[in-house]
Amino acid sequence: MNLDPKIPSGPLESKWSTYLRDVKLVSPNNKRKYKIIVVGTGLAGASAAASLAELGYNVLTFCIQDSARRAHSIAAQGGINAAKNYQNDGDSVWRLFYDTIKGGDYRSREANVYRLAENSNHIIDQAVAQGVPFGREYGGLLDNRSFGGAQVSRTFYSRGQTGQQLLLGAYQAMMKEVHSGKIQDFPRQEMLDLVIIDGKARGIITRNLVTGEIQKWEADAVVLCTGGYGNVFYLSTNAKNSNATAAWRCHKRGAVFANPCFVQIHPTCIPVSGDYQSKLTLMSESLRNDGRVWVPRNKGDKRPPNEIPEDERYYYLEERYPSFGNLVPRDVASRSAKLVTDEGLGVGETGLAVYLDFRDAIKRDSREVIEAKYGNLFDMYQNITDENPYEIPMRIFPAVHYTMGGLWVDYDLMSNIPGLFVAGEANYSDHGANRLGASALMQGLSDGYFIIPYTIGDYFAREKLEKISTGHEAFSEAADSVSKLLDKLLVIKGDKTIIEFHRELGKIMWDKVGISRSKEGLESAIVEIRKLRDEFWQNVRVPGDKNYYNKYLEFAFRVADYFELAELMAIDALDRNESCGCHLRDEYQTAEGEAIRNDKDYAFVSAYEFLGVNGKLETKLHKESLNFEFVELKQRSYK
Amino acid sequence: MSDMTINLKIWRQKNTNDSGHFEDYILAGVNEHMSFLEMLDVLNEKLIKEGNDPVEFDYDCREGICGSCNMVINGKAHGPKHKTAACQLHMRTYSDGDTIVIEPPRAGAFPVIKDLVVDRTALDRIIEAGGYISVKTGAAPEANLIPVEQDVSNQAFDYATCIGCGACVAACPNSSASLFTASKLSHLNRLPQGRPERSKRTIAMVEQMEKEGFGDCSNYAECEAVCPVGISISSIAEMRREYMKAIF
Ligand SMILES: Cc1cc2nc3c(=O)[nH]c(=O)nc-3n(C[C@H](O)[C@H](O)[C@H](O)COP(=O)(O)OP(=O)(O)OC[C@H]3O[C@@H](n4cnc5c(N)ncnc54)[C@H](O)[C@@H]3O)c2cc1C
Ligand code: SF4
Ligand code: FES
């Protein structure tokens, strides 16, 4: 298989402008003749759909929720990066590019990341023009805040609801085009398969989630914007409907899956409180600016935190990383929390938590100052845990948050299946082995507003697309296979619920394919996943039937796919004999527990081809090597 | 605190045409730290194991931002806690032996799909009618060329936080969508970027709201009381003024 990233030649700064100069165009008259399916209406999907419709294409949009506005992007809190340099603190496109490449631990493509940084400024312009209410200074101009992994202040924000405001902007742009008749919007429709004709993506199969009807949709191209797969772990900060099915179904139809093992685990989330727990809530990482992280020095110290004297507190981040202290990057903070809880020093009823203490900050700055900075976060914490963080230290623990891996795409954001484009968290493109804060929103909108609209036109101008209809046998084959799978799930009528299986799978993944990984652990995870998958297909109980609204049937289908993806994640983690970004292999670390990257053997994107599932997942690894022409590879150090 | 036993009275309706009825359930082992929706998950696990159909309800984010959840709990949309969406409610609000009645948000414009799940696409159609600023991708000027007074921007933000849950509709004796519609108008109309389309937008959205079968506003203010993000009813007064100005 030839995985050509199709990166334009020339200096980094002019690759995208060269591309735009040479890009083939479709005339306005002809645009009207093309139909494009956009699956997913998060930041990537809504922005792509609106922009494509404005150009004159006919667009169909699909999402799982009852409204396009409810996509998971709505929950993003902190902000979005851009290289505006409004603070005059030395920011530039180059610096944003550099921070993102370095933050990703040198496992992403230079050309893609540079283009992302270039587009960042246009995103802010676009959002402001749409009426997105970003935070402003007294003078009426835009304000910025600082975020991890950068020494400049470049993050634009709408209080703690940046994702909501950006998504509403994109959703409204999309509704404007629904009004103009260029977009037909289909909420509560889940894509369950991709249809390929003559080697090109030509349509999708959906299940109407209200009536259960299996429907066929044909088009000239399909843009997949279906988000990340963090919910493989059962518990994560992702919305309950976030899932991997669309991407996985494309993978099974031939799309190559890249870097599946790169999963970001966010250090500051509210810990699990019991086995009924259904999802985890993120607490903004800005809290680490003032909170001090600690655990009791002595194992089994069950005293309330405020009764533990200073010399019996282990401020492990400050001790281990004196120069960055509590502000080490996400992966380092998460890993350290796991280390101390593994040693038995964890706190709370489950022992799976550490303290984040504001006592000293309140003493230093007063309660009012801390309240002004973090009041809403403290309220949120108190609402969930019923504890007052002004008086008792918060309990926090890492949680699965974001997946850097995803479907492989070239510079055009097209997968190896012609006509299948992938945008947003669903592709693997820009974040390497670790994503910096406030850069996912930027990437989703860069993909949707400013990349796909050009690259899809180039595809249409180059390819001759035969006229097809949903009467083609490829559609009935795909629709039948979906129906059969639904039936297969429904007839098992076993003893264990879907959630029980999913929770068990999540536990294997968290313990062995989570914060730290070892050869031994990964090998046993693979065996356990296979065993549990077999049991799932024999003993799962899916309630009800397929011809009406049935949320649990939706989940069953998704969990069936997680069982296969999970194995691929473990295989990839096992293959990558190095530690980089969020991927820490126990065998590849220094005596002090620092990651050892191996650029000689692993500076590549792992790209898997699906061969089949037969008791075990059959897969073939391809490698896209990463060539660093413009930056020098360095070992990260936060000591 | 030990586990609680809760008596549930839940609306069950097979589909839009079914007339629907309440069903009683007794759920033991409810932990105070469970969220309200986790309590329903536990009920559903039990129902599934017993071979019964689980209760369908809408949710996604489970942190009060997506607007998916909107059930009516003991007669109140989103339940008893002020400025709290149903998914942010915890069982510690209740005591052992309590009875909780759960219904879908009821309104002519929100047909029931199944149990507690309703069709709220009418709200999308109100936005579609004019709830946007018409700027094409690529046509935007440099962001700081449009200064916005900090107060104005903050007010616009407050109105823009509407999560589109439709609780205001369920709470209103007239099933009016005025708070929802007015929040979007108050967000966009007060920004300099939103000025040019102000009259057109207001007329289009108000008229669409009527077309969808939502009722008029008679100032009951029940909407403001249940709104999980605290959208102010003053937006409705703004909408009225704006509408009168626009049609004359
Ligand atoms: C709590 C939280 C806070 C965050 N904060 C930030 C932040 O401050 N800054 C930042 O940059 N990033 C943040 N992120 C990350 C960021 O929000 C996401 O990565 C990003 O929003 C993903 O956008 P997307 O458009 O790719 O996908 P999503 O928003 O996940 O949208 C996926 C869409 O696909 C649809 N879909 C999925 N499968 C199917 C299917 N089979 N058929 C039909 N439709 C389907 C869904 O319905 C949905 O519409 C945060 C994430 C979380 C969880
Ligand atoms: S105004 Fe409030 S109650 Fe009404 S839809 Fe918006 S958030 Fe929900
Ligand atoms: S589930 Fe998202 S607001 Fe309640």
Side-chain angles (χ1 to χ4, degrees):
Chain A
M1 184 177 293
N2 176 22
L3 293 178
D4 177 5
K6 294 202 283 196
I7 297 168
S9 56
L12 194 55
E13 293 79 3
S14 60
K15 284 183 191 294
W16 182 230
S17 47
T18 307
Y19 181 96
L20 294 179
R21 189 193 66 198
D22 297 341
V23 74
K24 289 222 177 330
L25 302 176
V26 181
S27 75
N29 269 341
N30 283 336
K31 286 203 182 88
R32 235 174 275 147
K33 297 181 192 148
Y34 287 101
K35 197 197 277 179
I36 301 170
I37 286 174
V38 177
V39 191
T41 58
L43 286 173
S47 59
S51 309
L52 290 166
E54 285 164 6
L55 288 171
Y57 294 113
N58 303 300
V59 178
L60 309 183
T61 52
F62 297 85
C63 69
I64 292 170
Q65 294 79 1
D66 67 324
S67 165
R69 65 182 287 155
R70 302 198 208 286
H72 163 62
S73 295
I74 201 96
Q77 304 171 349
I80 178 166
N81 287 331
K84 286 282 192 189
N85 193 28
Y86 285 162
Q87 305 305 324
N88 197 28
D89 55 2
D91 202 6
S92 63
V93 168
W94 171 268
R95 205 175 281 277
L96 175 54
F97 153 75
Y98 183 75
D99 288 345
T100 308
I101 280 274
K102 176 182 170 211
D105 219 358
Y106 308 97
R107 290 294 173 265
S108 44
R109 265 187 219 141
E110 287 178 321
N112 285 56
V113 178
Y114 195 85
R115 173 177 63 184
L116 172 67
E118 283 180 289
N119 283 342
S120 67
N121 292 341
H122 302 308
I123 297 171
I124 303 304
D125 299 343
Q126 192 63 31
V128 166
Q130 289 167 344
V132 170
F134 282 128
R136 285 176 185 270
E137 297 171 344
Y138 286 120
L141 301 179
L142 293 163
D143 191 22
N144 292 116
R145 55 166 66 137
S146 311
F147 241 67
Q151 287 160 312
V152 294
S153 217
R154 62 159 76 100
T155 305
F156 293 77
Y157 64 94
S158 290
R159 268 180 239 168
Q161 281 141 264
T162 316
Q164 180 195 32
Q165 294 310 316
L166 287 168
L167 182 60
L168 291 179
Y171 155 80
Q172 286 163 200
M174 188 184 138
M175 293 321 270
K176 163 175 73 66
E177 294 307 314
V178 172
H179 188 70
S180 81
K182 286 315 250 180
I183 294 183
Q184 282 179 279
D185 177 32
F186 298 96
R188 293 205 203 266
Q189 283 267 7
E190 183 164 13
M191 167 182 171
L192 297 182
D193 212 345
L194 176 75
V195 178
I196 299 176
I197 295 174
D198 295 334
K200 298 185 186 110
R202 293 308 300 269
I204 62 169
I205 304 296
T206 64
R207 179 166 176 269
N208 178 322
L209 301 180
V210 176
T211 64
E213 194 190 341
I214 301 296
Q215 292 179 272
K216 305 167 183 164
W217 310 87
E218 100 284 351
D220 298 295
V222 175
V223 187
L224 209 70
C225 308
T226 47
Y229 51 88
N231 277 347
V232 170
F233 290 79
Y234 185 65
L235 289 179
S236 82
T237 61
N238 289 10
K240 290 299 285 176
N241 283 297
S242 296
N243 75 98
T245 282
W248 192 252
R249 295 278 131 194
C250 292
H251 178 56
K252 292 183 88 163
R253 291 276 175 197
V256 160
F257 208 109
N259 295 340
C261 83
F262 288 165
V263 178
Q264 179 166 79
I265 297 184
H266 197 292
T268 51
C269 300
I270 299 179
V272 175
S273 73
D275 45 347
Y276 47 80
Q277 189 95 28
S278 61
K279 77 158 286 193
L280 296 170
T281 303
L282 177 81
M283 297 295 290
S284 169
E285 70 181 298
S286 63
L287 290 169
R288 287 194 281 139
N289 280 305
D290 286 294
R292 296 180 72 192
V293 179
W294 65 277
V295 289
R297 230 173 246 291
N298 304 314
K299 237 188 238 177
D301 188 340
K302 289 282 165 217
R303 284 175 293 178
N306 292 338
E307 288 172 21
I308 299 181
E310 197 58 22
D311 59 350
E312 290 178 49
R313 295 175 172 206
Y314 179 22
Y315 294 96
Y316 57 89
L317 289 178
E318 297 173 21
E319 286 185 26
R320 293 184 53 190
Y321 303 97
S323 59
F324 275 70
N326 295 297
L327 283 175
V328 291
R330 288 178 180 178
D331 50 341
V332 179
S334 292
R335 207 175 294 144
S336 308
K338 180 169 190 296
L339 278 180
V340 293
T341 51
D342 283 351
E343 284 169 33
L345 298 174
V347 300
E349 268 172 47
T350 56
L352 291 176
V354 300
Y355 291 126
L356 179 63
D357 198 341
F358 292 86
R359 184 194 64 180
D360 297 346
I362 290 173
K363 230 186 268 165
R364 183 189 67 218
D365 295 343
S366 84
R367 179 178 160 141
E368 286 64 45
V369 170
I370 295 301
E371 192 169 339
K373 274 195 195 166
Y374 307 113
N376 60 340
L377 293 170
F378 278 41
D379 289 350
M380 182 166 106
Y381 180 83
Q382 182 155 14
N383 176 46
I384 294 177
T385 62
D386 205 24
E387 282 179 0
N388 179 353
Y390 294 101
E391 279 154 22
I392 310 170
M394 283 185 181
R395 280 174 297 114
I396 54 159
F397 203 59
V400 171
H401 181 56
Y402 181 91
T403 49
M404 281 74 67
L407 291 182
W408 183 89
V409 287
D410 62 16
Y411 190 71
D412 291 4
L413 302 185
M414 189 162 86
S415 71
N416 58 309
I417 300 176
L420 176 66
F421 292 78
V422 191
E425 195 175 336
N427 72 25
Y428 91 102
S429 70
D430 295 351
H431 307 294
N434 178 50
R435 175 178 71 79
L436 289 184
S439 59
L441 304 182
M442 169 172 75
Q443 182 228 328
L445 291 176
S446 165
D447 290 359
Y449 284 134
F450 300 114
I451 301 175
I452 294 274
Y454 296 106
T455 59
I456 220 168
D458 188 68
Y459 171 73
F460 290 148
R462 282 171 200 280
E463 291 285 335
K464 180 151 172 35
L465 294 165
E466 302 295 331
K467 222 166 161 47
I468 53 144
S469 80
T470 54
H472 193 285
E473 60 186 15
F475 278 93
S476 26
E477 183 272 320
D480 286 349
S481 78
V482 165
S483 294
K484 280 206 192 101
L485 207 55
L486 290 167
D487 288 333
K488 193 171 157 196
L489 286 164
L490 282 161
V491 298
I492 302 169
K493 293 274 175 260
D495 302 323
K496 248 160 91 171
T497 64
I498 303 149
I499 292 183
E500 285 171 331
F501 275 110
H502 194 178
R503 216 184 265 131
E504 268 184 59
L505 174 66
K507 182 154 172 23
I508 301 173
M509 296 301 285
W510 178 255
D511 288 344
K512 297 179 173 164
V513 198
I515 297 179
S516 69
R517 299 140 174 205
S518 68
K519 179 167 185 290
E520 206 188 1
L522 290 164
E523 281 167 352
S524 84
I526 292 172
V527 174
E528 287 172 50
I529 292 165
R530 286 180 190 153
K531 195 160 147 257
L532 194 62
R533 182 169 62 219
D534 288 344
E535 193 197 333
F536 173 83
W537 284 107
Q538 270 157 31
N539 197 26
V540 71
R541 169 174 291 228
V542 183
D545 215 334
K546 62 177 181 180
N547 47 4
Y548 51 81
Y549 190 94
N550 185 349
K551 196 84 223 165
Y552 285 85
L553 177 59
E554 295 170 30
F555 282 136
F557 203 100
R558 297 173 197 162
V559 173
D561 287 340
Y562 290 147
F563 268 115
E564 296 175 4
L565 170 57
E567 188 175 344
L568 185 66
M569 292 163 73
I571 290 173
D572 184 39
L574 184 59
D575 180 77
R576 192 166 277 278
N577 288 311
E578 65 164 346
S579 296
C580 62
C582 64
H583 170 67
L584 184 98
R585 283 281 302 271
D586 293 343
E587 303 90 335
Y588 306 101
Q589 52 182 332
T590 62
E592 294 102 47
E594 300 310 316
I596 302 177
R597 211 176 59 219
N598 177 350
D599 293 328
K600 192 171 127 290
D601 301 315
Y602 288 93
F604 64 76
V605 175
S606 34
Y608 291 88
E609 181 185 354
F610 179 85
L611 301 176
V613 186
N614 211 337
K616 58 191 243 212
L617 179 72
E618 311 275 358
T619 186
K620 183 160 181 229
L621 173 61
H622 302 268
K623 296 175 185 175
E624 179 204 327
S625 60
L626 293 166
N627 305 313
F628 292 91
E629 292 174 58
F630 306 96
V631 298
E632 186 197 339
L633 275 63
K634 288 195 183 134
Q635 204 73 33
R636 297 190 311 169
S637 167
Y638 297 95
K639 282 275 176 193
Chain B
M1 196 172 123
S2 58
D3 285 351
M4 301 179 273
T5 297
I6 301 286
N7 303 305
L8 296 163
K9 216 178 197 16
I10 303 180
W11 185 259
R12 303 301 308 258
Q13 183 172 338
K14 281 201 159 58
N15 51 47
T16 311
N17 300 325
D18 180 23
S19 53
H21 65 280
F22 277 107
E23 224 160 281
D24 294 338
Y25 303 94
I26 297 171
L27 188 64
V30 175
N31 180 298
E32 60 171 326
H33 294 305
M34 278 180 190
S35 73
F36 193 84
L37 302 192
E38 283 166 349
M39 182 272 293
L40 289 177
D41 292 341
V42 172
L43 171 72
N44 277 346
E45 288 290 285
K46 182 166 167 262
L47 292 175
I48 293 170
K49 291 221 162 184
E50 292 164 358
N52 296 314
D53 263 8
V55 177
E56 297 290 358
F57 57 103
D58 253 328
Y59 56 84
D60 198 23
C61 71
R62 296 201 171 192
E63 45 191 66
I65 190 76
C66 74
S68 292
C69 67
N70 66 349
M71 53 190 71
V72 174
I73 303 169
N74 285 339
K76 206 159 168 226
H78 287 302
K81 277 189 86 175
H82 182 57
K83 284 180 70 172
T84 302
C87 59
Q88 295 170 296
L89 195 60
H90 283 79
M91 290 313 291
R92 66 181 78 95
T93 314
Y94 298 93
S95 313
D96 190 34
D98 276 359
T99 297
I100 307 178
V101 184
I102 312 176
E103 300 165 80
R106 295 182 195 276
F110 289 171
V112 172
I113 291 173
K114 193 167 189 292
D115 301 337
L116 308 173
V117 177
V118 300
D119 180 345
R120 283 172 290 188
T121 47
L123 298 181
D124 285 320
R125 289 189 292 272
I126 294 175
I127 300 296
E128 181 194 326
Y132 40 76
I133 290 170
S134 299
V135 52
K136 285 192 178 172
T137 302
E142 150 52 49
N144 262 350
L145 285 177
I146 318 174
V148 182
E149 286 163 65
Q150 201 186 39
D151 291 356
V152 174
S153 177
N154 285 342
Q155 286 161 9
F157 174 84
D158 287 338
Y159 290 118
T161 56
C162 162
I163 61 173
C165 61
C168 46
V169 178
C172 176
N174 302 346
S175 296
S176 173
S178 288
L179 195 63
F180 169 81
T181 309
S183 70
K184 187 46 58 189
L185 288 168
S186 289
H187 161 209
L188 297 177
N189 284 354
R190 69 170 17 74
L191 289 173
Q193 306 92 300
R195 290 266 155 78
E197 288 172 287
R198 195 165 160 172
S199 302
K200 187 168 164 260
R201 172 184 308 120
T202 308
I203 295 175
M205 289 179 73
V206 169
E207 294 185 349
Q208 188 64 33
M209 175 171 75
E210 286 163 10
K211 237 186 268 169
E212 295 289 346
F214 292 106
D216 280 338
C217 169
S218 327
N219 293 324
Y220 288 106
E222 297 288 343
C223 52
E224 191 185 62
V226 299
C227 177
V229 294
I231 299 294
S232 161
I233 198 171
S234 57
S235 59
I236 300 184
E238 269 181 30
M239 172 170 77
R240 284 209 185 102
R241 274 199 305 275
E242 198 70 44
Y243 184 72
M244 295 316 281
K245 235 176 30 203
I247 57 171
F248 288 112

